[in-house]
Amino acid sequence: MKAPRKGRIREGAKLILVGLGANLPSSAFGSPRETCEAGLARLEKLGVAIVRRSRWYKSAPVPPSDQPWFVNGVAAVATGRAPVELLGVLHGIENEFGRVRRVRNEARVIDFDLLAYDDVVVAEGEGLVLPHPRLHERAFVLLPLAEVAPDWRHPVSGRPIADLIAALPRGQVAEPLD
């Protein structure tokens, strides 16, 4: 098990935030947590540096369902890739790890989301919306994001992360592992 990376985000550097999670084991990598670790390692092998990362969180599915609970985390990354290109890398890792997209919110072996790319706002285009359209509604995103970037503000609303966490819908469960 790797400990969360506590690197510094360089002053003036782009703040690129990636969320990841899994709730199904992988035949190649093991448990959802091991699969997420392997996903981050693969991202680095593809030239995307992990600058800082959160602890892993155990979270109930959103929306509520009878599928297994998720392991989730957030990483700040550094790359020279444009947002659409980075999203393609993330989806490529999902495909490589066996993710099949059939139904929205289904159980999955791995899931990568491009949460935010600095202050870039993209309403719609090439399958990309920035910031992620539902990140402000999800404890499993905001709690680990607050560990990685405690001063982050939503690029559209301007609200600080602490306010977004305080406004989360009741009943969401996201607890740090370990």
Side-chain angles (χ1 to χ4, degrees):
M1 168 184 69
K2 286 187 177 179
R5 197 175 283 184
K6 302 288 186 181
R8 287 182 45 109
I9 298 169
R10 236 178 347 109
E11 187 72 30
K14 289 181 202 164
L15 181 60
I16 304 169
L17 298 166
V18 173
L20 71 155
N23 70 338
L24 295 176
S26 161
S27 59
F29 304 105
S31 71
R33 184 176 183 161
E34 292 166 325
T35 302
C36 288
E37 290 283 358
L40 287 176
R42 182 68 179 133
L43 193 57
E44 284 196 298
K45 283 184 180 165
L46 293 173
V48 178
I50 309 298
V51 177
R52 187 173 170 92
R53 54 175 274 206
S54 70
R55 295 176 284 181
W56 294 116
Y57 280 72
K58 175 180 156 182
S59 61
V62 176
S65 72
D66 62 354
Q67 63 181 278
W69 281 39
F70 282 82
V71 171
N72 293 99
V74 169
V77 304
T79 181
R81 292 177 168 93
V84 171
E85 186 182 358
L86 177 57
L87 184 63
V89 169
L90 299 175
H91 287 172
I93 295 170
E94 288 179 346
N95 291 339
E96 181 182 329
F97 278 44
R99 166 98 189 257
V100 178
R101 293 175 184 267
R102 292 177 295 245
V103 178
R104 189 174 179 173
N105 298 319
E106 69 185 334
R108 60 206 75 150
V109 72
I110 197 162
D111 180 38
F112 273 103
D113 288 317
L114 181 53
L115 302 174
Y117 193 102
D118 213 22
D119 289 332
V120 172
V121 175
V122 178
E124 219 176 301
E126 298 183 54
L128 175 66
V129 177
L130 285 173
H132 188 284
R134 292 173 299 285
L135 76 83
H136 62 284
E137 302 169 349
R138 304 212 165 137
F140 67 82
V141 172
L142 293 178
L143 296 176
L145 195 155
E147 289 182 17
V148 172
D151 298 326
W152 184 78
R153 290 181 168 270
H154 194 283
V156 175
S157 71
R159 293 176 69 188
I161 191 148
D163 288 0
L164 295 172
I165 290 170
L168 280 167
R170 295 222 182 266
Q172 290 188 35
V173 179
E175 303 167 344
L177 291 172
D178 299 333

